[in-house]
Amino acid sequence: MIGMRDFDEADAPALVSWVDGPAALVMWSGPTGFTWPLDRAQLARYAAKAGPGLRIWTFIDEEHPAEAVAHASLTVDPQGRTARLGRVLVDPAQRGRGIGAALVGAVQRVAFDDMGVHRLGLGVFAHNGTAIALYERLGFVREGLSREVVEVDGAWWSSIEMSMLDREWHGRGPGATTSTPGR
């Protein structure tokens, strides 16, 4: 089972260790101003932006609460009742345990149930088939393809825009809850 808490600078070393190269940095952050090598100073500036319009979380293993296992952010536009899931990253040593599904499910609950958003969107690189399959399994719908949005190591990466609406979230029913590790 995972829990979530606000990201703080003490979480920076774990996050830095999960981003092992320039391609991994872009995969995590997109073309958003982080530079390789990722370091604590960049993460401190990022954490300082947190507030009502930007939620930044560390996800922990509840059996080992000091252990960070994942990270995500949620950018919120309360006037437009929209939010954007971003910067999703699971510790490479923890992948395959259902943490990604639990993380996305937790963010969906915060966005739709706690914040009352109408639309939750995200962008995912088109070659990240594992993430795309997870998002679709959790109810996100593909909206379109942005072609060749960033160049990484001489290759152009395209991005898929996906979203979920509040009526889709609320219409999922009890049998459509997200999975949690260990269940």
Side-chain angles (χ1 to χ4, degrees), residues 50-106:
L54 177 62
R55 301 291 308 270
I56 305 172
W57 294 293
T58 296
F59 292 80
I60 57 167
D61 180 335
E62 289 184 336
E63 292 179 19
H64 308 283
E67 180 182 344
V69 296
H71 176 89
S73 68
L74 186 69
T75 305
V76 181
D77 174 6
Q79 292 178 333
R81 293 187 52 222
T82 63
R84 185 165 185 85
L85 172 61
R87 296 189 183 98
V88 175
L89 183 62
V90 175
D91 175 353
Q94 301 292 330
R95 292 180 185 158
R97 295 183 46 220
I99 292 170
L103 175 158
V104 174

Side-chain angles (χ1 to χ4, degrees), residues 5-170:
R5 61 175 166 74
D6 289 337
F7 175 81
D8 66 41
E9 289 188 49
D11 300 318
L15 188 53
V16 166
S17 76
W18 302 340
V19 179
D20 63 359
L25 178 66
V26 174
M27 184 70 88
W28 168 64
S29 68
T32 60
F34 287 100
T35 58
W36 178 255
L38 183 63
D39 58 32
R40 292 179 77 138
Q42 292 180 72
L43 292 173
R45 288 189 297 275
Y46 166 58
K49 296 176 184 175
L54 177 62
R55 301 291 308 270
I56 305 172
W57 294 293
T58 296
F59 292 80
I60 57 167
D61 180 335
E62 289 184 336
E63 292 179 19
H64 308 283
E67 180 182 344
V69 296
H71 176 89
S73 68
L74 186 69
T75 305
V76 181
D77 174 6
Q79 292 178 333
R81 293 187 52 222
T82 63
R84 185 165 185 85
L85 172 61
R87 296 189 183 98
V88 175
L89 183 62
V90 175
D91 175 353
Q94 301 292 330
R95 292 180 185 158
R97 295 183 46 220
I99 292 170
L103 175 158
V104 174
V107 174
Q108 286 172 305
R109 283 187 294 281
V110 168
F112 291 118
D113 296 342
D114 299 346
M115 296 180 166
V117 303
H118 170 68
R119 180 184 186 278
L120 176 59
L122 62 87
V124 58
F125 288 112
H127 63 279
N128 192 348
T130 302
I132 294 166
L134 171 69
Y135 296 136
E136 288 179 332
R137 182 168 56 87
L138 296 178
F140 286 87
V141 175
R142 292 185 199 210
E143 295 182 330
L145 176 72
S146 295
R147 301 180 310 152
E148 300 183 357
V149 296
V150 66
E151 186 178 17
V152 179
D153 295 331
W156 283 99
W157 290 4
S158 297
S159 177
I160 296 173
E161 184 67 21
M162 302 180 82
S163 73
M164 182 176 211
L165 303 177
D166 56 355
R167 66 179 167 269
E168 295 162 341
W169 169 255
H170 294 297

